[in-house]
Amino acid sequence: MLSKDKIARINELSKRSKSTGLTKSEEKEQQALRKEYIQTFRKSFKNQLHSVKVVDEEGNDVTPQALKDSKQKKNGGFTH
């Protein structure tokens, strides 16, 4: 998770870019912060997906094979 300070800075730069514009260094900072935010979001989302197990009405595991493979890869080839 990104710190509150970094999120506040992202929001501040976004507002300023819409109103007065940003300097070149602020644009670079904004790009770097956005990149970090997206990487953090993706990592968090993947972790959430790895905790999902899909079951049908009869209780059968119908988790998509791609997700099973991803979980197995994350766990070093071991399944739970």
Side-chain angles (χ1 to χ4, degrees):
M1 167 120 348
L2 233 51
S3 71
K4 289 182 181 182
D5 292 337
K6 286 186 178 184
I7 292 173
R9 183 64 177 158
I10 289 171
N11 291 331
E12 177 186 343
L13 289 170
S14 178
K15 288 176 187 173
R16 285 189 42 206
S17 72
K18 293 174 186 172
S19 61
T20 61
L22 300 175
T23 65
K24 292 288 182 192
S25 64
E26 288 173 329
E27 286 176 3
K28 288 181 182 180
E29 179 186 7
Q30 184 183 41
Q31 289 172 352
L33 286 169
R34 284 180 173 171
K35 183 177 180 179
E36 183 179 353
Y37 176 83
I38 288 171
Q39 287 174 339
T40 303
F41 176 84
R42 286 180 177 161
K43 183 177 180 182
S44 174
F45 190 74
K46 282 182 182 180
N47 285 336
Q48 276 186 304
L49 280 178
H50 286 149
S51 68
V52 170
K53 181 177 181 179
V54 183
V55 231
D56 65 11
E57 300 84 22
E58 298 170 2
N60 299 314
D61 183 359
V62 293
T63 305
Q65 189 61 43
L67 181 55
K68 288 179 182 180
D69 293 345
S70 179
K71 286 180 185 182
Q72 191 173 17
K73 184 178 175 184
K74 178 184 179 224
N75 293 326
F78 299 105
T79 57
H80 295 269

